[in-house]
Amino acid sequence: MSPKSALLLRLTKLVERVYQVPVAYIAVLGPDPRITTRIGSGCEHWDSLMRLPLATATAQPMIWPEPVGDLRFVASTPLRSSEGLCLGVLVIGDVQARPAFSRCELETLTGLAGLPAGQMELRVAMGETRETELLLRETECRFRTIADAAPLLLIYSGSDGASSFVN
């Protein structure tokens, strides 16, 4: 199990214990927005959760007014980046109705969703940095190849005047 998966599974187990629900589920969305990864407890209820309209599930924290499949209580909150981009959704569900679930409890669920969202955003940023570094190395390699093939002397120097490249 990857560290990312382990973190998400720990979070779903924590949410399950805090809210005393049999289902705590995190779905990570791709850009389209389709589910790219899902993890959590209550796997037997995932088919029901897959019927949730994702556009609504990721719009705002909400308590679903109607049962979803065999789940009589469902609450969801989006996983948002610091810029507001929707990365996924955190859903909890119960086979028992929960008429007393408060707005405060939903806000707490949203706060908990911020933990994996921050981790996910950090991983995306690290991936983009790594990709940028690889592109920079590739560009530099191309420049050196072209410069080495040039039939005249090329000298590249930095702002301090020291030569950093001579073909």
Side-chain angles (χ1 to χ4, degrees):
M1 181 179 287
S2 72
K4 177 178 143 185
S5 296
L7 173 71
L8 293 177
L9 190 58
R10 279 199 322 261
L11 178 70
T12 56
K13 295 230 179 263
L14 171 67
V15 169
E16 183 181 84
R17 273 187 251 128
V18 166
Y19 290 99
Q20 298 177 357
V21 292
V23 178
Y25 168 83
I26 293 177
V28 178
L29 305 178
D32 36 10
R34 291 192 185 170
I35 294 174
T36 59
T37 305
R38 62 183 183 184
I39 196 163
S41 55
C43 298
E44 66 274 16
H45 303 286
W46 285 8
D47 288 338
S48 297
L49 293 172
M50 295 297 286
R51 288 189 236 148
L52 291 174
L54 285 181
T56 307
T58 59
Q60 61 188 5
M62 66 183 295
I63 300 166
W64 293 81
E66 299 294 321
V68 178
D70 53 347
L71 297 173
R72 297 294 164 246
F73 168 79
V74 177
S76 67
T77 189
L79 303 173
R80 295 210 180 276
S81 70
S82 58
E83 285 98 32
L85 176 69
C86 188
L87 305 169
V89 63
L90 171 60
V91 181
I92 61 172
D94 199 342
V95 292
Q96 308 271 328
R98 291 194 170 214
F101 199 79
S102 70
R103 191 81 192 148
C104 181
E105 289 172 308
L106 190 58
E107 288 172 7
T108 303
L109 186 66
T110 301
L112 287 170
L115 299 171
Q119 289 288 324
M120 291 161 65
E121 186 174 18
L122 183 60
R123 288 182 190 280
V124 167
M126 288 171 46
E128 288 173 354
T129 301
R130 198 172 303 128
E131 188 175 312
T132 302
E133 286 176 8
L134 290 173
L135 287 171
L136 184 61
R137 285 184 191 149
E138 183 181 319
T139 302
E140 184 177 341
C141 182
R142 236 184 275 137
F143 165 76
R144 289 180 184 272
T145 302
I146 292 169
D148 284 339
L152 46 115
L153 178 66
L154 292 175
I155 300 173
Y156 176 79
S157 59
S159 59
D160 61 354
S163 297
S164 57
F165 175 80
V166 177
N167 70 336

